[in-house]
Structure formats: structure tokens, C-alpha cells
Amino acid sequence: MCQDLNIRDTFAIYTFLPNKISTYQHTERIFQGKPLHSPAPAITLLMMSSGTVQVTDHREMLNGDKLVLRGLKFHGYHGVKPEERKLGQKFLIDVDAWMDLRVAGNSDNLSDTISYTAIYRIVKEVVEGASQNLLESVAQLIASTILSNYHQVSAVRVQVGKPHVAVQGPVDYLGVEITRYRSVDMQS
């Protein structure tokens, strides 16, 4: 997933997104001609103070082990409209937390993993806590709290949905989905 490469004359942080052709050409030079052919989120090169570059391939990270929480339902007071903040509404939350689960799988010991209930509590505290205007803020608070509290988590995906929205037409819910990476979003 991560490897250090000595690359001379590199003085910036680059994030390579799959839809940028010029990015692929630069990436191919760095990876010695091995092109990337995946609609994955990104590859990040981070210049370290030692002069090495840390390469993180998020595609590999998102294919690994993860804790999965689906269909969490809470009543919260988020939104830009006064009635949303006064009356509140139901929110639907899904969370994926990527981490290595091999040790827990072999030991069958809860202390070798993160309890689902710990992540559930974080989501509950955020959604039922202080009002936010945007679902993006709710999702960001959940993701950043999980990454801050659990160093074992390398990435987290949070989906926040509102099933009761004022739109003309039937919908299950409208919402946002974010993915945050420890290697990118938790740099000091």
C-alpha cells in the first residue's frame, strides 16, 4: 500500500486523479512505465522531510479488510432550513472503516479489533449532537472522529442520507458520501 521512493527534484504534494491524462503520463514515469487503469479514487505522493516520497495507492487500501456498519438511523437537527433545525428529522448512515483484520480473525479476540459499537457511538454522538448546516459537515465530523480515535483505521467512507426531503417526486433518500484517508486527511 505505501512505499518510500527516492525521487530527486520533487518538492510538492501531488494527488493523481484517474480522469487526468497528463497525470497518468507523470505517474507512468514515476512507476517506470506501469500505467494505471482503474477508476479508483487516487494515488498520492507526499514529500517527506527526509527527502523521500511516500506513495499511497488508495485503490489497494479500499480493496482490503473493513468494518461495515449499514442502515444506522438517528434523529438529528441538521439542515439549513429553520424547521429542520427546530423539528429535526431522520438520518440514515452507512460507514466503512478500512483496517487490517487478520490478527482479530486469527485470535478471535475483541481487543485485536475495533468494536462496531465504538464506531456506532461516534456516529450517534455526531448525528444527535450539535446542529450542522450541511450533510457534508456531518459526514466530515464522523470520518475525522473515527480517524482521530482509532489509529488502526487507514480510511473511512461515510454516507449520510436524508429520507424526508422536500423534492417533487419519490426518493428513498438524498445525501452525501465521502471517503477520507489517514495518509492524506490526518497529516499534521
Side-chain angles (χ1 to χ4, degrees):
M1 252 191 293
C2 283
Q3 58 185 4
D4 283 340
L5 301 175
N6 278 317
I7 300 174
R8 288 184 161 171
D9 304 319
T10 304
F11 298 100
I13 297 172
Y14 296 98
T15 299
F16 298 106
L17 301 174
N19 60 351
K20 306 264 186 180
I21 292 173
S22 62
T23 299
Y24 278 138
Q25 292 169 351
H26 189 76
T27 303
E28 286 177 4
R29 281 196 312 255
I30 291 172
F31 289 106
Q32 300 173 350
K34 296 179 183 175
L36 303 173
H37 299 292
S38 172
I43 288 181
T44 305
L45 301 182
L46 177 61
M47 175 59 90
M48 308 303 281
S49 59
S50 64
T52 63
V53 176
Q54 181 184 32
V55 179
T56 304
D57 186 343
H58 302 292
R59 295 165 308 164
E60 290 179 18
M61 186 181 304
L62 296 182
N63 289 328
D65 303 343
K66 64 183 175 181
L67 298 178
V68 178
L69 290 82
R70 293 284 183 268
L72 286 63
K73 296 176 183 149
F74 302 101
H75 191 85
Y77 298 88
H78 310 289
V80 294
K81 297 178 181 172
E83 59 269 18
E84 291 177 307
R85 296 174 80 83
K86 182 178 179 185
L87 301 173
Q89 61 192 303
K90 181 168 58 170
F91 292 88
L92 303 174
I93 315 293
D94 290 341
V95 175
D96 293 317
W98 279 268
M99 61 180 286
D100 190 340
L101 299 174
R102 283 183 221 129
V103 173
N106 290 323
S107 72
D108 196 29
N109 190 338
L110 182 59
S111 66
D112 291 328
T113 189
I114 299 170
S115 172
Y116 304 110
T117 58
I119 294 177
Y120 180 93
R121 279 193 298 272
I122 289 171
V123 175
K124 180 178 174 62
E125 288 173 10
V126 170
V127 177
E128 293 181 348
S131 295
Q132 302 296 319
N133 288 324
L134 303 176
L135 296 182
E136 292 86 342
S137 295
V138 175
Q140 180 65 37
L141 282 169
I142 293 168
S144 62
T145 304
I146 291 169
L147 288 171
S148 294
N149 290 357
Y150 298 103
H151 70 278
Q152 309 95 308
V153 175
S154 56
V156 63
R157 182 192 66 83
V158 178
Q159 187 177 62
V160 179
K162 289 166 73 169
H164 306 294
V165 292
V167 295
Q168 295 180 347
V171 297
D172 289 335
Y173 65 88
L174 299 179
V176 300
E177 179 178 305
I178 66 168
T179 304
R180 298 293 179 261
Y181 305 94
R182 173 172 306 287
S183 62
V184 175
D185 298 299
M186 299 301 288
Q187 295 296 321
S188 40

